[in-house]
């Protein structure tokens, strides 16, 4: 491997010195060798990418594949040897595909997630957020912002968009959270995925009998996807769209409550919410495992030769803290004009639902700060349990009072 030292020898380290910052080793790597050798838990040799410019270049390079068969679990886990991403996942998981297969699925869905359509959903999202605030007040304080606000708000938004009925939402919330645990046994993970597919199948059967004005009905009646493909697409959209937004709402609130000066600026000037959302997306980068791309041929970049088949893991939390791109990157600044972060990835696999996520976060944070001017943590910040054992980073619970 170009005679470079291999500093990561059994997958990514998970232990953080502080809960809101990536492990320090990634900052050291970024400064010394932003494309560095690593060994995955299954023994495969590859690379970890921690520099912004290097990451953006790889994500845009068509010589790098996203196929499931080229990927490796990033953390040491039972799944590293017993779970086959390509064989054990449902069909139509197009984030793990290359063109033309990826292009086919992406084209079917792009029109459903345009900025115009997502902005049109804002009144609906505001209604949902207001309902969650009312429920919190009725229940009384302290409340768990995860269970009482972030999770149900995000779940209701994505379920209404896709056409998942209210009675199925509770099962979906529980199963989607379980699906992203890094500590589950392979057979348990498969059982959870089977449960999600079965749930979506039940909902799809209902749409055949009673079509609605929603994305699922459109996929069913469009005639371009097989039933198994529809289930796979819906699974991807449901889990990705729900887990990311709910964890950003909770972790973002936790962060703001730990940063009183930044919170005060946001309370004093509500117009900063767009800046604040982008800055929180950059600063927190909850996809803490990153994304993977594998060269299909030998590729030389920045003085390093990445050989065909040597998977590059792009560590997004470190990439978004690169001082070459974001001055003073380890400081949260809600007034920063944060543009160009890679939280939603880059290139043809850039997150399809990013505009929906932005609208949810803007409405969610604005609603919380407006309705609870004295919102505060109801426990010591150090006692908040962090989701370092999950695919998506965040907090397991967040007790708050107002």
């Amino acid at each position: 491997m170009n005679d470079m030292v291999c500093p990561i020898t059994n997958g990514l380290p998970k232990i953080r010195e502080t809960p809101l910052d990536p492990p320090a080793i990634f900052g050291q790597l970024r400064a010394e060798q932003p494309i560095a050798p690593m060994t995955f838990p299954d023994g495969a040799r590859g690379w970890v990418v921690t520099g912004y410019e290097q990451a953006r270049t790889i994500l845009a390079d068509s010589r790098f594949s996203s196929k499931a068969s080229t990927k490796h679990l990033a953390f040491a886990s039972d799944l590293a040897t017993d779970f086959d991403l390509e064989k054990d996942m449902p069909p139509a998981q197009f984030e793990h595909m290359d063109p033309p297969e990826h292009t086919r699925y992406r084209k079917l869905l792009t029109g459903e997630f345009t900025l115009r359509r997502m902005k049109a959903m804002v009144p609906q999202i505001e209604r949902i957020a207001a309902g969650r605030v009312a429920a919190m007040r009725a229940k009384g304080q302290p409340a768990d912002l995860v269970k009482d606000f972030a999770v149900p708000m995000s779940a209701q938004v994505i379920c209404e968009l896709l056409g998942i009925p209210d009675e199925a939402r509770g099962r979906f919330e529980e199963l989607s959270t379980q699906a992203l645990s890094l500590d589950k046994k392979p057979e348990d993970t498969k059982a959870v995925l089977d449960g999600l597919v079965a749930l979506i199948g039940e909902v799809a059967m209902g749409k055949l009998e009673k079509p609605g004005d929603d994305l699922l009905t459109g996929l069913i009646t469009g005639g371009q996807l097989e039933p198994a493909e529809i289930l796979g697409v819906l699974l991807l959209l449901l889990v990705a769209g729900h887990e990311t937004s709910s964890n950003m709402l909770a972790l973002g609130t936790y962060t703001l409550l730990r940063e009183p000066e930044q919170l005060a600026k946001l309370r004093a000037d509500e117009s900063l919410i767009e800046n604040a959302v982008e800055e929180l997306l950059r600063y927190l980068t909850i996809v803490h495992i990153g994304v993977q791309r594998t060269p299909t041929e030998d590729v030389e970049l920045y003085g390093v030769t990445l050989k065909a088949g040597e998977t590059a893991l792009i560590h997004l939390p470190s990439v978004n803290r690169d001082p070459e791109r974001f001055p003073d990157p380890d400081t949260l600044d809600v007034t920063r004009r944060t543009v160009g972060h890679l939280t939603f990835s880059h290139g043809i696999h850039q997150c399809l639902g990013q505009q929906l996520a932005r609208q949810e976060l803007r409405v969610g944070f604005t609603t919380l700060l407006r309705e609870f001017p004295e919102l505060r943590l109801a426990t010591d910040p150090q006692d908040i349990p962090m989701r370092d054992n999950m695919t998506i980073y965040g907090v397991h619970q967040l007790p708050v009072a107002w």
Side-chain angles (χ1 to χ4, degrees), residues 173-243:
E173 290 176 14
E174 179 181 356
L175 287 168
S176 65
T177 298
Q178 293 178 14
L180 296 178
S181 172
L182 296 169
D183 296 334
K184 299 184 74 63
K185 294 183 180 297
E187 59 270 24
D188 294 335
T189 297
K190 293 173 186 176
V192 169
L193 291 174
D194 289 343
L196 278 166
V197 170
L199 175 60
I200 296 168
E202 293 173 19
V203 173
M205 289 298 294
K207 295 296 178 183
L208 288 173
E209 299 174 4
K210 188 177 179 181
D213 182 19
D214 52 63
L215 193 150
L216 177 53
T217 297
L219 291 177
I220 292 172
T221 59
Q224 299 186 62
L225 296 176
E226 297 295 325
E229 292 178 301
I230 293 173
L231 295 181
V233 167
L234 265 292
L235 174 64
L236 175 61
L237 295 178
L238 276 168
V239 175
H242 164 56
E243 284 291 321

Side-chain angles (χ1 to χ4, degrees), residues 94 106 109-115 117-119 121 125 154 157-158 161-162 215 236-238 240-242 244-245 278 281 343-345 348-361:
F94 55 92
R106 184 91 181 194
L109 295 164
T110 298
E112 302 291 338
F113 290 92
T114 62
L115 178 58
R117 288 198 174 193
M118 295 305 98
K119 284 186 174 181
M121 282 194 68
I125 298 172
S154 176
V157 169
I158 194 68
L161 173 68
L162 300 181
L215 193 150
L236 175 61
L237 295 178
L238 276 168
H242 164 56
T244 50
S245 296
E278 297 302 319
L281 285 166
T343 298
F344 294 116
S345 191
I348 64 171
H349 286 279
Q350 193 170 36
C351 177
L352 185 67
Q354 62 180 289
Q355 298 303 339
L356 176 61
R358 286 184 167 102
Q359 301 307 327
E360 282 189 66
L361 296 176

Side-chain angles (χ1 to χ4, degrees), residues 12-19 21 23 75-76 180-183 247 251 286 288-289 384-396:
L12 297 183
K14 290 194 295 182
I15 303 301
R16 295 179 174 221
E17 290 79 11
T18 56
D21 299 309
F75 291 135
L180 296 178
S181 172
L182 296 169
D183 296 334
N247 280 289
L251 186 62
I286 59 174
H288 64 139
I289 293 177
I384 301 297
M386 309 306 294
R387 286 171 50 109
D388 52 12
N389 64 330
M390 306 295 286
T391 305
I392 305 298
Y393 192 65
V395 292
H396 284 294

